[in-house]
Amino acid sequence: DTAVSQTPKYLVTQMGNDKSIKCEQNLGHDTMYWYKQDSKKFLKIMFSYNNKELIINETVPNRFSPKSPDKAHLNLHINSLELGDSAVYFCASSQAPGQYYGYTFGSGTRLTVV
Amino acid sequence: AQKITQTQPGMFVQEKEAVTLDCTYDTSDPSYGLFWYKQPSSGEMIFLIYQGSYDQQNATEGRYSLNFQKARKSANLVISASQLGDSAMYFCAMREGRATGGFKTIFGAGTRLFVKA
């Protein structure tokens, strides 16, 4: 049973399209995150939700909108996709937002905008 | 400002030998957590080890240990008895408390480890 599952694993789309990435965790964790990993492997946090409440909202274009219908799900919707959005997007979860908890990551979604 | 520094973009180690991956950090928060993650070529991120800022002893998990030097703000990962499967990208990460960092985990640039047979 996959702990943090993301779909799709690969996403190829044209500029200007709107797309969504879904994430679900079955660990009973309270906190979920979206990270972006660029072509140089640099990981940057985008958003974090704790029990459906947005607690971290980094400086990302407002074309990116997270949605958490319940604490087990955190989806990422991207409007008007641009070439620079091409990256690997990781969903992750942790027991709580505090500094003591390691993350469990999903397997990533490789987004390619052409 | 970058708060996690990994100065070794790439490292080579002979199979069965030990290797140390360097990590230094910067924070003014007295309460923080330090983490190491492994990313194999398949792409997934795997949590390896955690060290709390108040922990007196260095963390260990199997062949992984974290050499925590608080005064020097370093949190090096030591992998003993390297195996071919240890070849991967390794990320050091830090999470500060709510007041300073809002519980964000920030990652270093990573070190790519190559284990030679």
Side-chain angles (χ1 to χ4, degrees):
Chain A
D1 231 5
T2 307
V4 180
S5 59
Q6 289 179 236
T7 52
K9 191 167 173 61
Y10 300 96
L11 188 51
V12 181
T13 187
Q14 290 190 323
M15 274 195 308
N17 283 352
D18 303 339
K19 289 292 177 188
S20 291
I21 306 171
K22 295 187 175 183
C23 179
E24 175 182 1
Q25 54 96 2
N26 62 6
L27 297 164
H29 287 172
D30 284 344
T31 314
M32 297 183 72
Y33 311 82
W34 278 111
Y35 274 81
K36 178 180 179 181
Q37 186 174 44
D38 63 22
S39 58
K40 289 183 165 49
K41 299 291 189 184
F42 185 67
L43 277 152
K44 189 167 173 9
I45 189 165
M46 300 174 71
F47 302 103
S48 175
Y49 273 75
N50 183 53
N51 252 322
K52 302 193 295 176
E53 179 191 347
L54 181 66
I55 57 170
I56 295 174
N57 185 357
E58 284 297 277
T59 310
V60 298
N62 57 16
R63 298 182 294 103
F64 290 80
S65 53
K67 282 191 174 47
S68 182
D70 55 61
K71 73 173 194 177
H73 294 85
L74 180 61
N75 303 323
L76 184 65
H77 188 75
I78 317 170
N79 288 329
S80 304
L81 277 153
E82 299 177 358
L83 293 177
D85 298 332
S86 295
V88 180
Y89 292 83
F90 282 100
C91 177
S93 72
S94 66
Q95 257 182 285
Q99 56 266 51
Y100 313 110
Y101 303 103
Y103 291 172
T104 303
F105 279 85
S107 55
T109 295
R110 182 175 294 277
L111 171 65
T112 304
V113 183
V114 297
Chain B
Q2 189 173 352
K3 293 185 175 182
I4 295 281
T5 304
Q6 294 180 254
T7 56
Q8 306 150 314
M11 289 275 290
F12 285 88
V13 65
Q14 196 68 40
E15 197 180 8
K16 297 180 188 169
E17 291 185 351
V19 63
T20 298
L21 306 183
D22 294 342
C23 174
T24 57
Y25 61 92
D26 185 30
T27 181
S28 56
D29 195 329
S31 180
Y32 52 90
L34 297 158
F35 305 82
W36 279 90
Y37 290 84
K38 173 183 178 181
Q39 187 175 40
S41 57
S42 49
E44 73 270 30
M45 293 283 291
I46 303 164
F47 166 58
L48 295 178
I49 195 166
Y50 159 80
Q51 179 85 42
S53 58
Y54 293 119
D55 293 344
Q56 296 295 313
Q57 294 196 319
N58 288 342
T60 59
E61 287 287 347
R63 293 185 299 112
Y64 304 109
S65 60
L66 200 153
N67 185 359
F68 181 44
Q69 311 235 342
K70 195 169 182 176
R72 297 176 62 184
K73 293 189 176 176
S74 76
N76 298 339
L77 177 71
V78 180
I79 305 175
S80 62
S82 297
Q83 301 172 356
L84 294 178
D86 294 334
S87 292
M89 193 80 163
Y90 289 81
F91 292 95
C92 181
M94 177 179 70
R95 191 184 306 160
E96 296 169 307
R98 181 189 296 277
T100 352
F103 291 142
K104 284 183 287 188
T105 296
I106 54 170
F107 287 79
T111 295
R112 188 170 292 280
L113 178 67
F114 300 91
V115 180
K116 299 183 289 184

